Amino acid sequence: MSEAVSRRSAMRLLAAAGTAGTALGAAACAPEVPPGAAAPRAPAAAPPAEAKGAARIDALLERLTLDEKTALLHGARDPAPLGQAGYVPGVPRLGIPALRLADGPAGVRVAEPATALPAPVLLASAFDPALAREYGRVLGREGRALGQDVLLGPMANLIRTPYAGRNFETFAEDPTLTADLVGELVRGIQDEGLIATVKHFALNNQEHGRDTVDVIAAEQTLHETELRGFEAAVAAGAGAVMGAYNKVNGVHACESKPLLDELLRGSWGFDGWVMSDRDATHSTVAAIGAGLDMEMPAGTHFGAPLREAVRGGSVPEAAVDLAVHRILTTLDRFGLLAARPAARPPRDAAAGARTARKVATAGAVLLRNEHGTLPLTGAAARSIAVIGPTGQVPFVGGGGSAQVVPDGATAPLTAIRRRAGNGASVHYALGEDVYGRPLPPNLLTPAAALDERTVAPGQVWSHEGEFRLTADDEWTLLVHYTGKRPVVRLDGQDLFPVRQGVAEYFAGGLLGSAPDGMSVRRRTLALKAGAHRLAVTAEGGQKGQRFRLRHTTGAIRAADLAEAVRTAKSARSVVLFAYEDATEGRDRTSLALPGGQERLIEAVAAANPRTTVVLNTSSSTTMPWLPRTGAVLQMYYPGQEGGGATADLLFGDVDPGGRLTQTFPADERATPVGGDPLRYPGVSGRQEYSEGVHVGHRWYDAQRVAPLFPFGHGLSYTTWHYEKLTVRPGRAGLRVEFTVRNTGRRKGTEVAQVYVGPAPELELDQPVRALAGYWRLVLAPGEAQRVTVDLGARALSSWDPEQHAWVLGSGRREVFVGRSSRELPLRSKVVVTSR
């Protein structure tokens, strides 16, 4: 099985041998052997633990049958499911355990409660790798406690387009920041004994056409942007990698030899296993030949077809052995093949909640704050209007595979009332109804009550009636249900047909279910005056079900808006919660807030200029209403502790220390992919990353486009001053030193950022400025700190596609320091030399 020893394993063995040789050579004080005497035989050195493990795995492989080997290479049905994403049966007779694999970018997604952490994009906004490791440890401990062995996370894809439906699950538009955080998150997960799976390798940066789109990217583009996070995960020791759905340069990612074999294993030395995303395997021979080890969630290609391919000679059994060896080696590394595996820890829900709150406050970004709107103090803190549906219903997380069952979540309204105290007046107005009102009992002829109906097991309930509108109106009809979705037809049209693929199951983290847990689907239609026929059929199924049909109308929306304006006028301060519900399975169609929220913000802010808008959104948002507002606080999807964290920030108990990890555009047509369908979403199934190395803020700088809010932007409740920049050669790079001073009257958190300009001597495409380093610090009023940021060679290098390697950008380089990619008060020039 020498062919199964990976490059990294070989390097470790060589390093161990080198260390042993050095140790023996250092034993100069050993007594000499008397002349003529036989030299004593040195005791046999114990083989390295890794060598013992390799021998044990080789022995296991020899005892496995072909059927048992292939059973380890694909998912199967779990005989005792825990609600996780995947299951791989083990081989009990040989002590190979079954594996359970759970989704988990923002918490362990099983059927039982788990800590619902803030979305990774909120974690990233803290610019704090140590916090990322703590976040990872929560995932790792809870995954082990909840019976899982493998976590399907973190997601290392970049935020390339603000439309992507899963931007909240990843970190940033910037490759340097992404790499730093992904590496530490992997370490944190695996510190606790859970195997981390970095995903989706590679270029899975949108949901639109993700199963089929062919993503074309040049070699330099790949290495300088998308691949950085995956490379960092491998360097951190990630146990597994998940292949993406899409094609990369003409070949499905899960059967791409250049990606899986040459780059991942050959160049980076990855020694874990590669699994496919769910149903992302498209072949047997090509996939296993390219380096795919495991098909999920079943054995369509790696079950019987793989065994037949081996027996028929189109796949050598050595290829199967190699895949099994990679899996078993990883299991052994994590102690899963031990005779007595480590006991699973108990859940520590309190510790998880503390980290969730810490992350939510650390990553919150204060985008705007005019006329001292925040923090809420004095009279402003004693008379508050809370407006918006997510003020009353906590928006915990996005939809799709990132959704978890939280232990509980406090509504922001409750947290604000608690923090404001008994002497304060805190009133609430809905503003916009996202779950609908009951239909009037006498709406239909013949009449029928369509709210809170119960259908017994095995029964079918149906009703058809007519209603009449006296004027044209826009209606939203909503069905809430607990079993099979009822069929609702309006004028013969099925309002809620079964959707294709994941769209049927992933309906959003807020809008997809009602506060009581019932599933929700909605449909908005323009209805003409006159008669309409409504028909409803609901099946009880095996367990029976409850359902309700609800609606909103133009009159309801107008009344809700009027109530919100009245409530805003009667209060000293307004906190208006706005949302955008993103989910796996679909991209956004607009960067504007959905529904009537823009109109709501405009009206409320006009009634009370001390209006703070709290954004529970997945990614960047356009804000035509911005000038009317007093403050804007970006909270993304803040997890189960988001209500309390939001109150902490609003009242100034903590300083908002988050900074944007993605640029917010002033116009959604002016983005790195805006106005070019070949860049996004693709044309005829083909997409080109023609922006090259100019991702995110780099594109805005190159095109001289003014954003609404730049990358790295974030305000504080205090003020900051930067001074005394020095830049000099350091260890394998540059040492950047500067002083940051808190010039305000409050303790605050700052994220100092260092950018570097292009190398004039390097004839490669380079960014105008690239993030090279950063430092998060907390200072008391008047306190100053001398900050040192060391920039390694990678931060000063570009990928040369002719040399297929990183090359140092030597020559005179400019270094910039400041608070965001567009606020850089300090700059200096330095000569970078090759050594």
Side-chain angles (χ1 to χ4, degrees):
M1 284 305 299
S2 59
E3 65 185 287
V5 178
S6 74
R7 175 178 170 179
R8 178 180 289 173
S9 299
M11 291 174 68
R12 285 176 178 162
L13 290 173
L14 287 171
T19 303
T22 302
L24 288 170
C29 296
E32 295 183 1
V33 179
R41 178 174 297 178
E50 190 162 351
K52 288 182 180 179
R56 180 166 62 251
I57 290 163
D58 288 348
L60 279 174
L61 266 171
E62 290 178 1
R63 298 176 65 189
L64 286 167
T65 67
L66 180 60
D67 284 357
E68 289 171 332
K69 291 174 188 175
T70 56
L72 292 171
L73 303 186
H74 65 82
R77 185 174 182 179
D78 190 343
L82 302 173
Q84 78 282 359
Y87 172 81
V88 178
V91 183
R93 72 180 185 89
L94 297 179
I96 300 174
L99 291 179
R100 287 186 168 89
L101 303 85
D103 288 317
V108 181
R109 186 172 183 258
V110 294
E112 298 177 23
T115 300
L117 291 161
V121 70
L122 183 55
L123 165 69
S125 300
F127 280 71
D128 189 345
L131 186 60
R133 190 156 188 167
E134 182 179 336
Y135 184 106
R137 286 195 181 109
V138 172
L139 291 171
R141 182 184 177 97
E142 294 216 334
R144 291 273 298 143
L146 292 166
Q148 305 303 301
D149 308 293
V150 183
L151 190 77
L152 304 181
M155 179 175 168
N157 303 106
L158 294 183
I159 297 177
R160 176 177 178 262
T161 168
Y163 294 100
R166 300 180 78 174
N167 281 349
F168 66 93
E169 290 188 54
T170 191
F171 300 92
E173 67 187 19
D174 186 84
T176 297
L177 180 61
T178 298
D180 290 347
L181 300 174
V182 166
E184 288 306 303
L185 194 57
V186 166
R187 291 184 180 96
I189 293 166
Q190 297 190 161
D191 283 347
E192 301 295 330
L194 194 68
I195 299 170
T197 308
V198 63
K199 63 184 186 182
H200 311 84
F201 191 60
L203 300 174
N204 185 180
N205 295 314
Q206 65 189 58
E207 294 302 281
H208 184 92
R210 70 177 185 178
D211 297 327
T212 56
V213 67
D214 185 6
V215 183
I216 309 300
E219 185 177 323
Q220 183 186 1
T221 300
L222 274 167
H223 282 272
E224 291 194 30
T225 61
E226 174 78 359
L227 295 181
R228 293 288 302 279
F230 294 96
E231 185 183 6
V234 170
V241 168
M242 179 188 290
Y245 284 110
N246 50 278
K247 296 177 182 177
V248 175
N249 293 330
V251 180
H252 283 291
C254 288
E255 53 189 49
S256 171
K257 194 174 182 69
L259 274 180
L260 305 185
D261 185 54
E262 297 169 14
L263 175 67
L264 183 63
R265 294 195 173 95
S267 297
W268 295 348
F270 176 64
D271 58 5
W273 86 83
V274 179
M275 71 180 75
S276 74
D277 205 338
R278 190 176 184 88
D279 295 321
T281 307
H282 297 275
S283 65
T284 300
V285 178
I288 198 165
L292 184 71
D293 302 308
M294 181 182 289
E295 176 189 10
M296 294 303 292
T300 304
H301 300 282
F302 276 23
L306 180 56
R307 292 191 293 274
E308 293 168 7
V310 171
R311 290 167 182 145
S314 58
V315 172
E317 189 163 355
V320 173
D321 289 346
L322 187 55
V324 173
H325 194 280
R326 290 167 179 152
I327 294 168
L328 294 181
T329 298
T330 307
L331 301 191
D332 187 54
R333 175 185 154 201
F334 283 83
L336 298 178
L337 297 183
R340 294 183 179 178
R344 294 186 181 273
R347 265 199 77 210
D348 190 342
R354 286 193 297 272
T355 297
R357 187 150 176 170
K358 181 178 179 181
V359 171
T361 53
V365 185
L366 184 60
L367 297 177
R368 173 181 170 87
N369 192 20
E370 298 296 313
H371 310 300
T373 299
L374 291 180
L376 299 175
T377 59
R382 293 192 294 272
S383 173
I384 304 169
V386 176
I387 295 170
T390 49
Q392 187 177 47
V393 177
F395 198 159
V396 174
S401 57
Q403 212 169 348
V404 301
V405 179
D407 291 297
T410 301
L413 174 62
T414 301
I416 290 170
R417 281 177 169 156
R418 183 181 300 140
R419 175 59 182 80
N422 294 332
S425 171
V426 180
H427 295 289
Y428 175 73
L430 183 62
E432 180 191 53
D433 192 337
V434 297
Y435 300 115
R437 307 283 217 279
L439 291 166
N442 59 352
L443 174 72
L444 293 179
T445 304
L450 295 174
D451 202 55
E452 300 298 343
R453 293 208 67 97
T454 299
V455 185
Q459 300 296 307
V460 176
W461 183 92
S462 63
H463 183 81
E464 183 171 355
E466 183 177 279
F467 66 96
R468 183 172 295 274
L469 295 182
T470 58
D472 295 353
D473 200 355
E474 182 181 84
W475 276 41
T476 298
L477 281 163
L478 305 94
V479 61
H480 301 206
Y481 57 98
T482 62
K484 180 181 178 181
R485 185 160 68 245
V487 175
V488 181
R489 295 183 181 276
L490 182 64
D491 298 328
Q493 180 185 6
D494 187 353
L495 297 185
F496 311 109
V498 175
R499 303 173 184 175
Q500 294 298 313
V502 295
E504 173 61 22
Y505 305 101
F506 297 155
L510 173 74
L511 302 180
S513 59
D516 62 358
M518 294 178 78
S519 298
V520 177
R521 295 293 187 272
R522 54 184 51 73
R523 181 77 175 272
T524 299
L525 309 99
L527 299 184
K528 296 291 186 181
H532 297 273
R533 294 201 66 79
L534 183 68
V536 182
T537 301
E539 299 178 17
Q542 294 183 350
K543 299 180 179 180
Q545 77 155 315
R546 295 184 298 118
F547 82 91
R548 52 188 176 237
L549 195 64
R550 293 194 168 181
H551 78 314
T552 58
T553 66
I556 290 172
R557 285 187 284 272
D560 288 343
L561 180 64
E563 181 194 14
V565 168
R566 285 194 301 271
T567 305
K569 285 181 177 179
S570 67
R572 171 70 173 157
S573 302
V574 176
V575 181
L576 192 157
F577 287 83
Y579 71 90
E580 177 264 320
D581 194 7
T583 184
E584 178 181 356
R586 68 169 184 262
D587 283 347
R588 302 162 75 187
T589 57
S590 170
L591 303 189
L593 293 171
Q597 292 183 95
E598 289 191 347
R599 185 169 64 252
L600 174 65
I601 295 171
E602 291 275 6
V604 167
N608 189 330
R610 292 186 62 85
T611 293
T612 295
V613 177
V614 178
L615 292 171
N616 292 135
T617 55
S618 67
S619 193
S620 57
T621 305
T622 52
M623 305 180 193
W625 38 264
L626 184 67
R628 287 188 177 273
T629 63
V632 179
L633 180 64
Q634 177 68 49
M635 291 295 295
Y636 295 108
Y637 300 154
Q640 68 180 49
E641 301 301 314
T646 302
D648 291 343
L649 291 152
L650 292 173
F651 287 90
D653 299 333
V654 292
D655 194 43
R659 304 294 182 262
L660 289 181
T661 68
Q662 57 192 303
T663 306
F664 277 37
D667 184 334
E668 60 184 285
R669 294 167 296 182
T671 74
V673 299
D676 187 346
L678 196 55
R679 287 188 184 178
Y680 175 82
V683 177
S684 300
R686 177 186 171 94
Q687 182 180 48
E688 295 183 1
Y689 280 32
S690 55
E691 70 273 20
V693 300
H694 305 286
V695 294
H697 59 95
R698 301 175 179 183
W699 180 89
Y700 288 88
D701 289 342
Q703 299 298 318
R704 298 182 179 180
V705 172
L708 181 64
F709 297 112
F711 174 89
H713 170 75
L715 302 178
S716 169
Y717 290 150
T718 188
T719 54
W720 302 93
H721 179 69
Y722 286 69
E723 60 188 7
K724 301 176 182 177
L725 170 65
T726 62
V727 184
R728 65 180 187 273
R731 292 184 59 186
L734 297 175
R735 170 155 287 191
V736 181
E737 294 181 299
F738 52 93
T739 298
V740 179
R741 186 181 304 277
N742 181 349
T743 55
R745 293 181 290 181
R746 297 176 58 100
K747 178 180 178 182
T749 301
E750 176 66 325
V751 177
Q753 300 158 46
V754 180
Y755 296 79
V756 293
E761 298 177 8
L762 203 58
E763 294 183 357
L764 292 168
D765 194 19
Q766 300 173 72
V768 173
R769 278 182 298 275
L771 180 70
Y774 49 87
W775 194 262
R776 183 181 175 92
L777 63 159
V778 178
L779 296 179
E783 184 181 4
Q785 181 175 326
R786 191 69 178 162
V787 176
T788 300
V789 177
D790 288 316
L791 309 183
R794 177 64 69 87
L796 303 170
S797 300
S798 295
W799 183 268
D800 188 335
E802 292 187 1
Q803 299 185 44
H804 307 294
W806 291 96
V807 293
L808 185 67
S810 58
R812 195 169 181 83
R813 307 283 296 267
E814 194 163 14
V815 176
F816 308 83
V817 176
R819 307 195 66 244
S820 77
S821 64
R822 291 294 177 95
E823 188 180 345
L824 299 166
L826 304 183
R827 61 182 61 192
S828 178
K829 291 185 178 180
V830 64
V831 175
V832 176
T833 58
S834 301
R835 295 183 181 181

